[in-house]
Amino acid sequence: MTTIDPAAPGDREGWERLYRGYAEFYRMPMTGETLDTVWTWIHDATLPFYGLLAKDPSGRAVGLMHYREMPSPLRGARVGFLDDLFVDPQARGQGVVDALYARLRAESARHGWPFVRWITRDNNYRA
């Protein structure tokens, strides 16, 4: 069974492995400075930026999701925005994305967001 939880301080190694895979998919260079910055954002209680990790039954991180709050001026409301979604290629097809989406729906409701926006690469048809 896949579990979904906020990224905890002890999850850095698994998170970093997945985030490097995500950056590689988008052909974006990844530096230690960027990793440190994003990891800090995830754990900054004053910043509405969140990180979820999916873990397999052995506790290995197999998926990540970063999302945040953003204003929607036309609606006069705050909404959610999904920034990053990545699943380890070896864990794909095992329901990891469905579990991450379900947790995001619950988090969206908890925050009172009417919806969550997401933009992905044009050729990322599966996502």
Coordinates of all heavy atoms in Angstrom, one line a residue, residues 23 35 47 53 67 77 92 105:
A23 N 13.7 17.0 -12.4 CA 14.5 18.0 -13.1 C 15.1 17.4 -14.4 O 15.1 18.1 -15.4 CB 15.6 18.6 -12.2
L35 N 18.2 22.8 -4.6 CA 17.7 21.7 -3.7 C 17.5 22.2 -2.3 O 16.4 22.0 -1.7 CB 18.6 20.5 -3.7 CG 18.6 19.7 -5.0 CD1 19.8 18.7 -5.1 CD2 17.3 19.0 -5.3
L47 N 5.3 29.9 4.8 CA 5.1 30.0 3.3 C 4.1 28.9 2.9 O 4.2 27.8 3.2 CB 6.5 29.6 2.7 CG 6.7 29.8 1.2 CD1 6.6 31.2 0.8 CD2 8.0 29.2 0.8
L53 N 5.2 13.3 -0.1 CA 5.9 12.2 -0.6 C 5.0 10.9 -0.6 O 4.3 10.7 0.4 CB 7.2 11.9 0.2 CG 8.4 12.8 0.0 CD1 9.5 12.4 0.9 CD2 8.8 12.7 -1.5
Y67 N 3.0 21.6 -4.2 CA 1.8 22.5 -4.5 C 1.8 23.7 -3.6 O 2.5 23.7 -2.6 CB 0.5 21.7 -4.4 CG 0.2 21.2 -3.0 CD1 -0.7 21.9 -2.2 CD2 0.8 20.0 -2.5 CE1 -0.9 21.4 -0.9 CE2 0.5 19.6 -1.3 CZ -0.3 20.2 -0.5 OH -0.6 19.8 0.8
A77 N -10.3 35.0 -5.0 CA -10.2 33.9 -4.1 C -8.8 33.3 -4.2 O -8.1 33.5 -5.2 CB -11.2 32.8 -4.4
R92 N 5.7 3.4 -11.5 CA 4.6 3.9 -12.3 C 3.7 2.7 -12.6 O 4.1 1.6 -12.7 CB 5.1 4.5 -13.6 CG 5.8 5.8 -13.3 CD 6.4 6.5 -14.5 NE 7.1 7.7 -14.1 CZ 8.0 8.3 -14.8 NH1 8.1 8.0 -16.1 NH2 8.6 9.4 -14.4
R105 N -6.6 16.5 -3.3 CA -8.0 16.9 -3.2 C -8.3 17.1 -1.8 O -9.0 18.1 -1.5 CB -8.9 15.8 -3.8 CG -9.0 15.8 -5.3 CD -10.1 14.9 -5.9 NE -9.9 13.5 -5.6 CZ -9.1 12.7 -6.3 NH1 -8.4 13.1 -7.3 NH2 -9.0 11.4 -5.9

